[in-house]
Amino acid sequence: MSNHLLSLLIWLPILGAVPVLLAGGQRPNAARWISLLVAVATFAASLALVHVYDPSTGTMQVGENLSWIASIGIHYSLAVDGISVALIALTAFTTILVIVGAWEIIAVRTHQYMAAMLVLEGLMIGVFCATDALLFYVFFEAMLIPMFIIIGIWGGPRRVYATLKFFIYTFFGSIFMLVGLIYLYSKAHTFDLATLAHLPLSMTEQSWLFFAFLLGFAIKVPMVPVHTWLPDAHVEAPTGGSVVLAAVMLKIGGYGFLRFSLPIVPDASEHFAPLVIVLSLIAVVYIGYVALAQEDMKKLVAYSSIAHMGFVTLGIFIAFMLVRSDNNVQAAHLGMQGAMIQMISHGFISGAMFTCIGVLYDRMHTRQIKDYGGVINVMPWFGLFYVLFAMANSGLPGTSGFVGEFMVILASFQANPWIALFAAFTLIIGAAYTLWMVKRVLWGDITNHHVAEMKDINARETFVLAAFAAAVLLFGIWPQPLVHLMDASVGQLVQKLAYSKV
């Protein structure tokens, strides 16, 4: 079973979308139950992967390798390390909650929505499993199709504009990435990532390849200044689309830096690391101020995601600088580990925040902060969850939002105290825009009769929010399981980066 576990994780949701589609628009409940069954089975398979994976070694495990296009040496090659396993489990966990969350909300073409979500899940898991560069690229690009459909059909009034902007931005960056992969193939005659990591390349070659990869992955994160597609996509996407986009799809950009940029072009990555660090700090500080000025809740949380993902790229490249320039392996390990934990944590927190906004939108059909006020008076249980996730988004100790950011700040201090100061400043800005939103939405007197008529969360919404809350609190109070799962893999990556210096 474990020999084909990764294929099961990829193809179970993709093939499971077929009976969901066959259920048709006349039987929406059948489509819902089949999609939920497939999502639960996929999550069970992800837990089986966590069980069979040995985190003590940190190596690539549970591998599969089949010749795909033999004439040009392309392989259906899969394997995972601790980082991949954590991201796969996050993907499977999030998909269940998205399907449950959309149970009553998506009433038009329900079977198509659920099928698109399942296909998207399988393709995202494929990205985290692929060890052949072209296979990675296929999954990387194919993800755009179901997300394009989800936003374009079930999105808001400006959904066509948002989907086109999303597609053009992400596809534009991917073209440069593909050119880089073709160049690497011309040198190595293989797309195997492990082989490409040992390919001798001149500094000029590495520099061109670095920017080819940077465009592809920076747009996906997204980093400043190629971030402007994200707020529009989030605002127009249905709640489930926003949750998946923030919780999982943004992480693929950070994951790409680990698998492509750092190991394949290490010298160029070291040379241009200060540029990425500056762009990350701009995201952390400037975008935080942009979030503070937003009046649309979804747009505020979208900008918040850009700021928090800036912490991920900051941690990755700070760690790389520490191990390459200062040979400080311990601090580099801390920074890289913090970036990985921040990726997982942000998945839970951003997914929860967008779910909360969706709960409010389903009742009032507006996302404008000014239209609310005093919600806590009529929705006390919702208010409890909303405040918890707002605190986690602000990096409160005891929540998962604190752990990764604290580790990145500690590592940044060892690289440069000024970088740490700017990075830590985001905790203040994050608290400002998040708590300012909570204050205006939840507290005070009810001034709108529509708010007075709102009902508290039902059992389905309680389940989704409670699941997110459990993850946020578990990894905030006891992050050891997550740290243990990824620690050896992070250590292996840091050691390889240290030894790659000539």
Side-chain angles (χ1 to χ4, degrees):
M1 177 67 176
S2 62
N3 292 337
H4 300 289
L5 185 54
L6 298 184
S7 287
L8 177 67
L9 279 160
I10 295 169
W11 297 108
L12 175 61
I14 293 175
L15 296 177
V18 175
V20 174
L21 283 173
L22 292 176
Q26 303 303 315
R27 294 179 293 172
N29 275 332
R32 294 181 181 112
W33 281 108
I34 295 170
S35 59
L36 180 59
L37 180 64
V38 172
V40 170
T42 306
F43 181 60
S46 74
L47 295 180
L49 178 63
V50 173
H51 177 71
V52 301
Y53 178 77
D54 180 8
S56 62
T57 64
T59 55
M60 302 299 284
Q61 299 173 29
V62 205
E64 300 178 38
N65 195 340
L66 297 171
S67 180
W68 182 18
I69 308 176
S71 59
I72 53 176
I74 301 174
H75 290 260
Y76 175 77
S77 178
L78 309 173
V80 291
D81 62 1
I83 298 168
S84 307
V85 172
L87 288 166
I88 290 168
L90 170 67
T91 304
F93 174 81
T94 303
T95 304
I96 292 177
L97 301 185
V98 165
I99 287 173
V100 174
W103 201 266
E104 299 169 2
I105 306 307
I106 302 297
V108 178
R109 297 179 178 177
T110 305
H111 62 302
Q112 295 175 357
Y113 178 88
M114 296 297 184
M117 277 297 176
L118 291 176
V119 171
L120 181 59
E121 177 186 19
L123 295 173
M124 291 188 298
I125 291 174
V127 167
F128 298 131
C129 295
T131 55
D132 182 277
L134 197 68
L135 182 65
F136 176 96
Y137 183 81
V138 169
F139 285 129
F140 187 80
E141 286 301 285
M143 289 187 314
L144 300 181
I145 299 170
M147 183 53 77
F148 184 92
I149 292 170
I150 288 166
I151 301 175
I153 295 178
W154 295 276
R158 299 176 72 242
R159 59 185 178 273
V160 174
Y161 167 77
T163 48
L164 288 174
K165 192 173 183 181
F166 161 70
F167 191 88
I168 290 169
Y169 262 76
T170 49
F171 190 67
F172 173 79
S174 301
I175 290 172
F176 290 94
M177 178 183 164
L178 179 61
V179 171
L181 293 180
I182 293 170
Y183 180 81
L184 287 169
Y185 177 80
S186 72
K187 302 279 288 187
H189 304 292
T190 181
F191 286 104
D192 178 59
L193 286 175
T195 304
L196 296 180
H198 294 95
L199 190 65
L201 298 167
S202 69
M203 187 61 185
T204 302
E205 290 173 314
Q206 288 197 33
S207 297
W208 283 108
L209 288 167
F210 175 82
F211 281 104
F213 292 143
L214 180 66
L215 269 173
F217 299 132
I219 290 172
K220 192 73 79 177
V221 168
M223 295 176 64
V224 174
V226 289
H227 65 284
T228 57
W229 65 268
L230 184 68
D232 291 313
H234 270 310
V235 167
E236 299 305 322
T239 299
S242 290
V243 171
V244 172
L245 186 59
V248 184
M249 287 190 74
L250 303 189
K251 312 303 178 288
I252 291 168
Y255 183 79
F257 284 126
L258 298 183
R259 292 290 183 250
F260 286 81
S261 301
L262 302 189
I264 296 175
V265 289
D267 297 327
S269 296
E270 179 182 4
H271 183 74
F272 293 109
L275 169 65
V276 180
I277 289 170
V278 168
L279 293 177
S280 301
L281 288 174
I282 291 173
V284 166
V285 179
Y286 166 70
I287 297 297
Y289 279 116
V290 174
L292 193 57
Q294 300 307 311
E295 290 297 327
D296 183 303
M297 287 187 285
K298 250 194 175 184
K299 193 167 276 192
L300 187 151
V301 177
Y303 280 112
S304 167
S305 290
I306 299 169
H308 284 94
M309 287 304 295
F311 249 98
V312 173
T313 51
L314 177 65
I316 290 171
F317 281 88
I318 280 289
F320 188 69
M321 288 283 288
L322 285 167
V323 74
R324 298 274 295 187
S325 303
D326 303 336
N327 200 30
N328 191 338
V329 175
Q330 185 177 1
H333 188 111
L334 180 68
M336 192 73 75
Q337 182 76 282
M340 296 305 99
I341 291 175
Q342 174 69 359
M343 279 215 294
I344 303 298
S345 168
H346 179 259
F348 296 130
I349 296 170
S350 64
M353 290 292 289
F354 280 115
T355 301
C356 285
I357 294 168
V359 167
L360 292 174
Y361 183 81
D362 293 338
R363 286 157 172 76
M364 288 267 290
H365 301 289
T366 175
R367 291 183 297 268
Q368 295 299 308
I369 296 173
K370 63 181 176 58
D371 293 333
Y372 293 89
V375 170
I376 194 76
N377 296 293
V378 293
M379 300 178 68
W381 282 107
F382 170 80
L384 173 68
F385 286 115
Y386 199 34
V387 169
L388 169 64
F389 299 135
M391 292 298 182
N393 200 50
S394 304
L396 184 74
T399 66
S400 62
F402 173 76
V403 180
E405 292 185 359
F406 182 66
M407 294 169 78
V408 170
I409 291 169
L410 282 180
S412 300
F413 188 84
Q414 298 197 45
N416 187 312
W418 286 105
I419 294 177
L421 177 65
F422 278 104
F425 194 59
T426 192
L427 298 175
I428 301 171
I429 304 173
Y433 60 68
T434 307
L435 298 181
W436 179 231
M437 176 178 67
V438 169
K439 174 184 180 294
R440 290 181 287 174
V441 171
L442 284 186
W443 309 116
D445 298 327
I446 298 175
T447 57
N448 186 330
H449 71 277
H450 293 295
V451 172
E453 296 168 0
M454 292 168 67
K455 303 295 183 184
D456 210 349
I457 49 177
N458 57 35
R460 175 182 55 81
E461 294 164 334
T462 301
F463 169 79
V464 174
L465 294 176
F468 276 126
V472 167
L473 291 173
L474 172 65
F475 295 119
I477 297 169
W478 188 43
Q480 180 56 29
L482 190 57
V483 172
H484 177 66
L485 177 62
M486 297 192 292
D487 191 57
S489 297
V490 170
Q492 285 258 354
L493 178 61
V494 170
Q495 289 293 340
K496 287 176 184 176
L497 296 175
Y499 292 140
S500 67
K501 184 163 186 175
V502 178

